[in-house]
Amino acid sequence: MSTRRSGSLVALCLLGVSLIAATARPVAAAPRKGTEILWDKWGIPHISAADHPSLFYAYGYAQMEAHAELLLRRAGAVTGSGSVADGQAAMRKLGLAEFLITRLSEGR
C-alpha cells in the first residue's frame, strides 16, 4: 500500500470518527435528588421530579418496571429479532426440534 493511499485512508477514518462523535447523542444522566416514583394500590406510578429531564427519566423507568415484557417484545418486533425468539419458543413448545432431529437421524 502506498504512503499516499494509506494517508488518505487514515484521513477518511478520522473524518468518519469525527462525524460519529459530532452526531452522537448524550447518555441520559441520572435523575436529580428528590425524584421519586410512588406506586398506588392499582399499580399506577405517581412521579414527582424537580425538572423535566428527571421527570422523563423516571417516567421511562416506571414504564420499564411496569411493562418490561411488552416494551421488549415491541423492540424485538421493530428490529426483526422478535420473530426469531417467537419461532424458537414455538418450536420448543410444540416439540418440533426433537421431531426434526429424530427424523434426520433416521435418514428419512
Side-chain angles (χ1 to χ4, degrees), residues 39-79:
W39 299 83
D40 63 15
K41 65 181 181 179
W42 295 283
I44 298 172
H46 299 275
I47 302 168
S48 63
D51 57 358
H52 284 108
S54 297
L55 174 73
F56 295 137
Y57 187 94
Y59 179 75
Y61 184 89
Q63 286 295 315
M64 195 63 183
E65 187 76 23
H67 307 289
E69 183 181 345
L70 176 65
L71 292 172
L72 293 173
R73 196 173 282 275
R74 299 288 172 148
V78 169
T79 60

mmCIF file of all heavy atoms in Angstrom, residues 39-79:
data_model
loop_
_atom_site.group_PDB
_atom_site.id
_atom_site.type_symbol
_atom_site.label_atom_id
_atom_site.label_comp_id
_atom_site.label_asym_id
_atom_site.label_seq_id
_atom_site.Cartn_x
_atom_site.Cartn_y
_atom_site.Cartn_z
ATOM 1 N N TRP A 39 -46.001 4.225 43.842
ATOM 2 C CA TRP A 39 -46.976 3.365 43.189
ATOM 3 C C TRP A 39 -48.188 3.229 44.098
ATOM 4 O O TRP A 39 -48.056 2.931 45.281
ATOM 5 C CB TRP A 39 -46.377 1.991 42.935
ATOM 6 C CG TRP A 39 -45.183 2.028 42.038
ATOM 7 C CD1 TRP A 39 -43.906 2.308 42.404
ATOM 8 C CD2 TRP A 39 -45.162 1.803 40.645
ATOM 9 N NE1 TRP A 39 -43.083 2.260 41.315
ATOM 10 C CE2 TRP A 39 -43.820 1.944 40.209
ATOM 11 C CE3 TRP A 39 -46.120 1.479 39.702
ATOM 12 C CZ2 TRP A 39 -43.435 1.782 38.896
ATOM 13 C CZ3 TRP A 39 -45.732 1.313 38.379
ATOM 14 C CH2 TRP A 39 -44.415 1.466 37.992
ATOM 15 N N ASP A 40 -49.378 3.451 43.543
ATOM 16 C CA ASP A 40 -50.575 3.274 44.358
ATOM 17 C C ASP A 40 -51.011 1.811 44.327
ATOM 18 O O ASP A 40 -50.368 0.972 43.697
ATOM 19 C CB ASP A 40 -51.696 4.231 43.938
ATOM 20 C CG ASP A 40 -52.182 4.009 42.521
ATOM 21 O OD1 ASP A 40 -51.886 2.947 41.926
ATOM 22 O OD2 ASP A 40 -52.860 4.900 41.989
ATOM 23 N N LYS A 41 -52.109 1.495 45.004
ATOM 24 C CA LYS A 41 -52.529 0.094 45.117
ATOM 25 C C LYS A 41 -53.031 -0.495 43.798
ATOM 26 O O LYS A 41 -53.153 -1.703 43.674
ATOM 27 C CB LYS A 41 -53.588 -0.060 46.205
ATOM 28 C CG LYS A 41 -54.894 0.648 45.931
ATOM 29 C CD LYS A 41 -55.849 0.428 47.085
ATOM 30 C CE LYS A 41 -57.173 1.120 46.827
ATOM 31 N NZ LYS A 41 -58.115 0.898 47.932
ATOM 32 N N TRP A 42 -53.290 0.341 42.802
ATOM 33 C CA TRP A 42 -53.724 -0.133 41.492
ATOM 34 C C TRP A 42 -52.567 -0.260 40.509
ATOM 35 O O TRP A 42 -52.773 -0.586 39.353
ATOM 36 C CB TRP A 42 -54.797 0.794 40.908
ATOM 37 C CG TRP A 42 -56.050 0.786 41.720
ATOM 38 C CD1 TRP A 42 -57.019 -0.185 41.734
ATOM 39 C CD2 TRP A 42 -56.459 1.771 42.641
ATOM 40 N NE1 TRP A 42 -57.996 0.139 42.618
ATOM 41 C CE2 TRP A 42 -57.697 1.355 43.194
ATOM 42 C CE3 TRP A 42 -55.924 2.972 43.073
ATOM 43 C CZ2 TRP A 42 -58.376 2.078 44.141
ATOM 44 C CZ3 TRP A 42 -56.616 3.700 44.022
ATOM 45 C CH2 TRP A 42 -57.822 3.248 44.532
ATOM 46 N N GLY A 43 -51.344 0.037 40.980
ATOM 47 C CA GLY A 43 -50.172 -0.095 40.130
ATOM 48 C C GLY A 43 -49.901 1.114 39.251
ATOM 49 O O GLY A 43 -49.175 1.010 38.259
ATOM 50 N N ILE A 44 -50.474 2.252 39.589
ATOM 51 C CA ILE A 44 -50.258 3.472 38.812
ATOM 52 C C ILE A 44 -49.108 4.250 39.428
ATOM 53 O O ILE A 44 -49.122 4.533 40.619
ATOM 54 C CB ILE A 44 -51.533 4.330 38.766
ATOM 55 C CG1 ILE A 44 -52.645 3.543 38.079
ATOM 56 C CG2 ILE A 44 -51.267 5.654 38.054
ATOM 57 C CD1 ILE A 44 -53.990 4.201 38.134
ATOM 58 N N PRO A 45 -48.102 4.614 38.602
ATOM 59 C CA PRO A 45 -46.976 5.373 39.159
ATOM 60 C C PRO A 45 -47.316 6.861 39.264
ATOM 61 O O PRO A 45 -47.892 7.446 38.359
ATOM 62 C CB PRO A 45 -45.859 5.151 38.144
ATOM 63 C CG PRO A 45 -46.570 4.909 36.861
ATOM 64 C CD PRO A 45 -47.853 4.214 37.219
ATOM 65 N N HIS A 46 -46.954 7.458 40.383
ATOM 66 C CA HIS A 46 -47.093 8.897 40.584
ATOM 67 C C HIS A 46 -45.683 9.446 40.740
ATOM 68 O O HIS A 46 -44.981 9.106 41.694
ATOM 69 C CB HIS A 46 -47.951 9.198 41.817
ATOM 70 C CG HIS A 46 -49.338 8.650 41.692
ATOM 71 N ND1 HIS A 46 -50.350 9.330 41.056
ATOM 72 C CD2 HIS A 46 -49.870 7.467 42.079
ATOM 73 C CE1 HIS A 46 -51.453 8.600 41.084
ATOM 74 N NE2 HIS A 46 -51.180 7.466 41.704
ATOM 75 N N ILE A 47 -45.275 10.289 39.797
ATOM 76 C CA ILE A 47 -43.892 10.745 39.720
ATOM 77 C C ILE A 47 -43.802 12.197 40.139
ATOM 78 O O ILE A 47 -44.585 13.037 39.677
ATOM 79 C CB ILE A 47 -43.359 10.580 38.283
ATOM 80 C CG1 ILE A 47 -43.472 9.116 37.852
ATOM 81 C CG2 ILE A 47 -41.927 11.069 38.176
ATOM 82 C CD1 ILE A 47 -43.251 8.892 36.379
ATOM 83 N N SER A 48 -42.827 12.498 40.983
ATOM 84 C CA SER A 48 -42.523 13.895 41.299
ATOM 85 C C SER A 48 -41.040 14.106 41.020
ATOM 86 O O SER A 48 -40.205 13.286 41.385
ATOM 87 C CB SER A 48 -42.860 14.211 42.753
ATOM 88 O OG SER A 48 -42.071 13.439 43.619
ATOM 89 N N ALA A 49 -40.751 15.218 40.320
ATOM 90 C CA ALA A 49 -39.374 15.499 39.934
ATOM 91 C C ALA A 49 -39.146 17.001 39.919
ATOM 92 O O ALA A 49 -40.084 17.791 39.754
ATOM 93 C CB ALA A 49 -39.080 14.928 38.560
ATOM 94 N N ALA A 50 -37.881 17.399 40.071
ATOM 95 C CA ALA A 50 -37.522 18.816 40.123
ATOM 96 C C ALA A 50 -37.454 19.459 38.742
ATOM 97 O O ALA A 50 -37.677 20.654 38.593
ATOM 98 C CB ALA A 50 -36.183 18.988 40.833
ATOM 99 N N ASP A 51 -37.138 18.667 37.712
ATOM 100 C CA ASP A 51 -37.002 19.225 36.368
ATOM 101 C C ASP A 51 -37.495 18.207 35.333
ATOM 102 O O ASP A 51 -37.783 17.052 35.654
ATOM 103 C CB ASP A 51 -35.552 19.638 36.094
ATOM 104 C CG ASP A 51 -34.582 18.492 36.278
ATOM 105 O OD1 ASP A 51 -35.013 17.389 36.643
ATOM 106 O OD2 ASP A 51 -33.377 18.702 36.045
ATOM 107 N N HIS A 52 -37.616 18.669 34.079
ATOM 108 C CA HIS A 52 -38.141 17.813 33.022
ATOM 109 C C HIS A 52 -37.268 16.596 32.732
ATOM 110 O O HIS A 52 -37.805 15.494 32.575
ATOM 111 C CB HIS A 52 -38.378 18.621 31.739
ATOM 112 C CG HIS A 52 -39.603 19.467 31.805
ATOM 113 N ND1 HIS A 52 -39.538 20.837 31.913
ATOM 114 C CD2 HIS A 52 -40.914 19.153 31.814
ATOM 115 C CE1 HIS A 52 -40.758 21.321 31.969
ATOM 116 N NE2 HIS A 52 -41.621 20.320 31.915
ATOM 117 N N PRO A 53 -35.942 16.721 32.600
ATOM 118 C CA PRO A 53 -35.139 15.517 32.334
ATOM 119 C C PRO A 53 -35.308 14.446 33.416
ATOM 120 O O PRO A 53 -35.395 13.261 33.102
ATOM 121 C CB PRO A 53 -33.701 16.039 32.287
ATOM 122 C CG PRO A 53 -33.831 17.466 31.866
ATOM 123 C CD PRO A 53 -35.099 17.933 32.505
ATOM 124 N N SER A 54 -35.383 14.862 34.664
ATOM 125 C CA SER A 54 -35.586 13.895 35.751
ATOM 126 C C SER A 54 -36.962 13.255 35.660
ATOM 127 O O SER A 54 -37.126 12.050 35.903
ATOM 128 C CB SER A 54 -35.428 14.577 37.107
ATOM 129 O OG SER A 54 -34.127 15.072 37.267
ATOM 130 N N LEU A 55 -37.965 14.042 35.293
ATOM 131 C CA LEU A 55 -39.325 13.523 35.138
ATOM 132 C C LEU A 55 -39.390 12.478 34.035
ATOM 133 O O LEU A 55 -39.943 11.391 34.218
ATOM 134 C CB LEU A 55 -40.289 14.667 34.834
ATOM 135 C CG LEU A 55 -41.719 14.258 34.500
ATOM 136 C CD1 LEU A 55 -42.432 13.781 35.754
ATOM 137 C CD2 LEU A 55 -42.455 15.407 33.865
ATOM 138 N N PHE A 56 -38.774 12.783 32.881
ATOM 139 C CA PHE A 56 -38.813 11.845 31.767
ATOM 140 C C PHE A 56 -38.015 10.584 32.066
ATOM 141 O O PHE A 56 -38.387 9.483 31.660
ATOM 142 C CB PHE A 56 -38.316 12.510 30.488
ATOM 143 C CG PHE A 56 -39.218 13.626 30.021
ATOM 144 C CD1 PHE A 56 -38.690 14.815 29.563
ATOM 145 C CD2 PHE A 56 -40.588 13.492 30.053
ATOM 146 C CE1 PHE A 56 -39.512 15.845 29.144
ATOM 147 C CE2 PHE A 56 -41.428 14.515 29.636
ATOM 148 C CZ PHE A 56 -40.879 15.697 29.181
ATOM 149 N N TYR A 57 -36.915 10.722 32.786
ATOM 150 C CA TYR A 57 -36.127 9.563 33.191
ATOM 151 C C TYR A 57 -36.967 8.654 34.088
ATOM 152 O O TYR A 57 -37.022 7.432 33.893
ATOM 153 C CB TYR A 57 -34.866 10.029 33.921
ATOM 154 C CG TYR A 57 -33.893 8.922 34.236
ATOM 155 C CD1 TYR A 57 -32.844 8.629 33.383
ATOM 156 C CD2 TYR A 57 -34.008 8.174 35.403
ATOM 157 C CE1 TYR A 57 -31.940 7.626 33.665
ATOM 158 C CE2 TYR A 57 -33.115 7.160 35.692
ATOM 159 C CZ TYR A 57 -32.081 6.885 34.817
ATOM 160 O OH TYR A 57 -31.193 5.889 35.100
ATOM 161 N N ALA A 58 -37.624 9.244 35.067
ATOM 162 C CA ALA A 58 -38.455 8.467 35.989
ATOM 163 C C ALA A 58 -39.651 7.850 35.268
ATOM 164 O O ALA A 58 -40.053 6.721 35.571
ATOM 165 C CB ALA A 58 -38.926 9.344 37.136
ATOM 166 N N TYR A 59 -40.208 8.563 34.302
ATOM 167 C CA TYR A 59 -41.338 8.028 33.529
ATOM 168 C C TYR A 59 -40.905 6.796 32.741
ATOM 169 O O TYR A 59 -41.608 5.778 32.720
ATOM 170 C CB TYR A 59 -41.889 9.100 32.595
ATOM 171 C CG TYR A 59 -43.044 8.617 31.753
ATOM 172 C CD1 TYR A 59 -44.300 8.443 32.319
ATOM 173 C CD2 TYR A 59 -42.878 8.327 30.409
ATOM 174 C CE1 TYR A 59 -45.366 7.988 31.555
ATOM 175 C CE2 TYR A 59 -43.934 7.877 29.639
ATOM 176 C CZ TYR A 59 -45.177 7.711 30.218
ATOM 177 O OH TYR A 59 -46.211 7.252 29.469
ATOM 178 N N GLY A 60 -39.747 6.876 32.090
ATOM 179 C CA GLY A 60 -39.226 5.722 31.359
ATOM 180 C C GLY A 60 -38.934 4.558 32.280
ATOM 181 O O GLY A 60 -39.202 3.392 31.947
ATOM 182 N N TYR A 61 -38.393 4.849 33.453
ATOM 183 C CA TYR A 61 -38.117 3.808 34.436
ATOM 184 C C TYR A 61 -39.420 3.129 34.872
ATOM 185 O O TYR A 61 -39.495 1.906 34.972
ATOM 186 C CB TYR A 61 -37.391 4.397 35.646
ATOM 187 C CG TYR A 61 -36.990 3.370 36.660
ATOM 188 C CD1 TYR A 61 -35.767 2.721 36.573
ATOM 189 C CD2 TYR A 61 -37.845 3.039 37.709
ATOM 190 C CE1 TYR A 61 -35.408 1.768 37.503
ATOM 191 C CE2 TYR A 61 -37.489 2.087 38.641
ATOM 192 C CZ TYR A 61 -36.271 1.455 38.532
ATOM 193 O OH TYR A 61 -35.923 0.508 39.450
ATOM 194 N N ALA A 62 -40.446 3.934 35.128
ATOM 195 C CA ALA A 62 -41.731 3.382 35.561
ATOM 196 C C ALA A 62 -42.358 2.527 34.461
ATOM 197 O O ALA A 62 -42.926 1.465 34.742
ATOM 198 C CB ALA A 62 -42.684 4.508 35.959
ATOM 199 N N GLN A 63 -42.242 2.977 33.214
ATOM 200 C CA GLN A 63 -42.783 2.191 32.106
ATOM 201 C C GLN A 63 -42.070 0.850 31.995
ATOM 202 O O GLN A 63 -42.694 -0.184 31.781
ATOM 203 C CB GLN A 63 -42.659 2.963 30.793
ATOM 204 C CG GLN A 63 -43.625 4.100 30.654
ATOM 205 C CD GLN A 63 -45.055 3.613 30.591
ATOM 206 O OE1 GLN A 63 -45.376 2.669 29.894
ATOM 207 N NE2 GLN A 63 -45.921 4.267 31.339
ATOM 208 N N MET A 64 -40.756 0.863 32.114
ATOM 209 C CA MET A 64 -39.992 -0.373 32.015
ATOM 210 C C MET A 64 -40.293 -1.288 33.190
ATOM 211 O O MET A 64 -40.366 -2.506 33.035
ATOM 212 C CB MET A 64 -38.493 -0.049 31.949
ATOM 213 C CG MET A 64 -37.660 -1.188 31.501
ATOM 214 S SD MET A 64 -38.110 -1.645 29.823
ATOM 215 C CE MET A 64 -37.044 -3.034 29.609
ATOM 216 N N GLU A 65 -40.468 -0.709 34.367
ATOM 217 C CA GLU A 65 -40.790 -1.504 35.554
ATOM 218 C C GLU A 65 -42.146 -2.184 35.405
ATOM 219 O O GLU A 65 -42.317 -3.339 35.763
ATOM 220 C CB GLU A 65 -40.784 -0.584 36.779
ATOM 221 C CG GLU A 65 -40.934 -1.278 38.090
ATOM 222 C CD GLU A 65 -39.675 -1.969 38.556
ATOM 223 O OE1 GLU A 65 -38.580 -1.590 38.131
ATOM 224 O OE2 GLU A 65 -39.813 -2.902 39.361
ATOM 225 N N ALA A 66 -43.123 -1.472 34.859
ATOM 226 C CA ALA A 66 -44.477 -1.993 34.767
ATOM 227 C C ALA A 66 -44.729 -2.843 33.527
ATOM 228 O O ALA A 66 -45.532 -3.779 33.563
ATOM 229 C CB ALA A 66 -45.478 -0.834 34.802
ATOM 230 N N HIS A 67 -44.054 -2.541 32.422
ATOM 231 C CA HIS A 67 -44.362 -3.193 31.152
ATOM 232 C C HIS A 67 -43.106 -3.675 30.429
ATOM 233 O O HIS A 67 -42.977 -3.521 29.219
ATOM 234 C CB HIS A 67 -45.115 -2.235 30.230
ATOM 235 C CG HIS A 67 -46.325 -1.626 30.841
ATOM 236 N ND1 HIS A 67 -47.469 -2.337 31.106
ATOM 237 C CD2 HIS A 67 -46.570 -0.365 31.275
ATOM 238 C CE1 HIS A 67 -48.367 -1.546 31.651
ATOM 239 N NE2 HIS A 67 -47.841 -0.342 31.777
ATOM 240 N N ALA A 68 -42.165 -4.249 31.141
ATOM 241 C CA ALA A 68 -40.887 -4.638 30.544
ATOM 242 C C ALA A 68 -41.082 -5.630 29.402
ATOM 243 O O ALA A 68 -40.507 -5.465 28.320
ATOM 244 C CB ALA A 68 -39.966 -5.222 31.601
ATOM 245 N N GLU A 69 -41.895 -6.655 29.614
ATOM 246 C CA GLU A 69 -42.062 -7.676 28.585
ATOM 247 C C GLU A 69 -42.672 -7.080 27.312
ATOM 248 O O GLU A 69 -42.221 -7.360 26.207
ATOM 249 C CB GLU A 69 -42.938 -8.810 29.095
ATOM 250 C CG GLU A 69 -43.086 -9.919 28.081
ATOM 251 C CD GLU A 69 -43.968 -11.047 28.576
ATOM 252 O OE1 GLU A 69 -44.250 -11.135 29.779
ATOM 253 O OE2 GLU A 69 -44.390 -11.834 27.725
ATOM 254 N N LEU A 70 -43.689 -6.243 27.471
ATOM 255 C CA LEU A 70 -44.334 -5.623 26.314
ATOM 256 C C LEU A 70 -43.364 -4.725 25.557
ATOM 257 O O LEU A 70 -43.282 -4.785 24.322
ATOM 258 C CB LEU A 70 -45.549 -4.818 26.763
ATOM 259 C CG LEU A 70 -46.277 -4.025 25.673
ATOM 260 C CD1 LEU A 70 -46.891 -4.975 24.653
ATOM 261 C CD2 LEU A 70 -47.334 -3.144 26.278
ATOM 262 N N LEU A 71 -42.599 -3.901 26.283
ATOM 263 C CA LEU A 71 -41.655 -2.997 25.616
ATOM 264 C C LEU A 71 -40.559 -3.769 24.890
ATOM 265 O O LEU A 71 -40.174 -3.422 23.771
ATOM 266 C CB LEU A 71 -41.062 -2.028 26.634
ATOM 267 C CG LEU A 71 -42.032 -1.010 27.218
ATOM 268 C CD1 LEU A 71 -41.376 -0.238 28.338
ATOM 269 C CD2 LEU A 71 -42.515 -0.057 26.140
ATOM 270 N N LEU A 72 -40.046 -4.820 25.505
ATOM 271 C CA LEU A 72 -39.008 -5.624 24.849
ATOM 272 C C LEU A 72 -39.563 -6.378 23.651
ATOM 273 O O LEU A 72 -38.892 -6.535 22.633
ATOM 274 C CB LEU A 72 -38.372 -6.583 25.850
ATOM 275 C CG LEU A 72 -37.556 -5.907 26.945
ATOM 276 C CD1 LEU A 72 -37.115 -6.930 27.976
ATOM 277 C CD2 LEU A 72 -36.361 -5.185 26.357
ATOM 278 N N ARG A 73 -40.802 -6.832 23.753
ATOM 279 C CA ARG A 73 -41.433 -7.517 22.619
ATOM 280 C C ARG A 73 -41.632 -6.545 21.447
ATOM 281 O O ARG A 73 -41.414 -6.883 20.302
ATOM 282 C CB ARG A 73 -42.759 -8.115 23.052
ATOM 283 C CG ARG A 73 -43.300 -9.151 22.108
ATOM 284 C CD ARG A 73 -44.525 -9.821 22.708
ATOM 285 N NE ARG A 73 -44.202 -10.811 23.699
ATOM 286 C CZ ARG A 73 -43.896 -12.074 23.415
ATOM 287 N NH1 ARG A 73 -43.841 -12.451 22.163
ATOM 288 N NH2 ARG A 73 -43.649 -12.929 24.363
ATOM 289 N N ARG A 74 -42.048 -5.299 21.752
ATOM 290 C CA ARG A 74 -42.202 -4.283 20.707
ATOM 291 C C ARG A 74 -40.861 -3.941 20.069
ATOM 292 O O ARG A 74 -40.763 -3.764 18.865
ATOM 293 C CB ARG A 74 -42.837 -3.011 21.258
ATOM 294 C CG ARG A 74 -44.195 -3.169 21.828
ATOM 295 C CD ARG A 74 -45.220 -3.407 20.765
ATOM 296 N NE ARG A 74 -46.472 -3.737 21.415
ATOM 297 C CZ ARG A 74 -47.635 -3.430 20.931
ATOM 298 N NH1 ARG A 74 -47.733 -2.822 19.797
ATOM 299 N NH2 ARG A 74 -48.724 -3.771 21.582
ATOM 300 N N ALA A 75 -39.825 -3.819 20.899
ATOM 301 C CA ALA A 75 -38.492 -3.533 20.366
ATOM 302 C C ALA A 75 -38.021 -4.668 19.474
ATOM 303 O O ALA A 75 -37.410 -4.442 18.430
ATOM 304 C CB ALA A 75 -37.503 -3.308 21.504
ATOM 305 N N GLY A 76 -38.322 -5.896 19.856
ATOM 306 C CA GLY A 76 -37.964 -7.045 19.027
ATOM 307 C C GLY A 76 -38.724 -7.056 17.716
ATOM 308 O O GLY A 76 -38.182 -7.427 16.672
ATOM 309 N N ALA A 77 -39.983 -6.622 17.742
ATOM 310 C CA ALA A 77 -40.771 -6.567 16.514
ATOM 311 C C ALA A 77 -40.224 -5.512 15.560
ATOM 312 O O ALA A 77 -40.183 -5.704 14.349
ATOM 313 C CB ALA A 77 -42.230 -6.276 16.838
ATOM 314 N N VAL A 78 -39.788 -4.396 16.121
ATOM 315 C CA VAL A 78 -39.255 -3.314 15.288
ATOM 316 C C VAL A 78 -37.931 -3.709 14.652
ATOM 317 O O VAL A 78 -37.687 -3.462 13.473
ATOM 318 C CB VAL A 78 -39.094 -2.026 16.128
ATOM 319 C CG1 VAL A 78 -38.311 -0.975 15.379
ATOM 320 C CG2 VAL A 78 -40.454 -1.485 16.503
ATOM 321 N N THR A 79 -37.065 -4.367 15.425
ATOM 322 C CA THR A 79 -35.747 -4.736 14.905
ATOM 323 C C THR A 79 -35.765 -6.032 14.118
ATOM 324 O O THR A 79 -34.790 -6.355 13.453
ATOM 325 C CB THR A 79 -34.731 -4.881 16.054
ATOM 326 O OG1 THR A 79 -35.180 -5.898 16.949
ATOM 327 C CG2 THR A 79 -34.562 -3.580 16.801
#
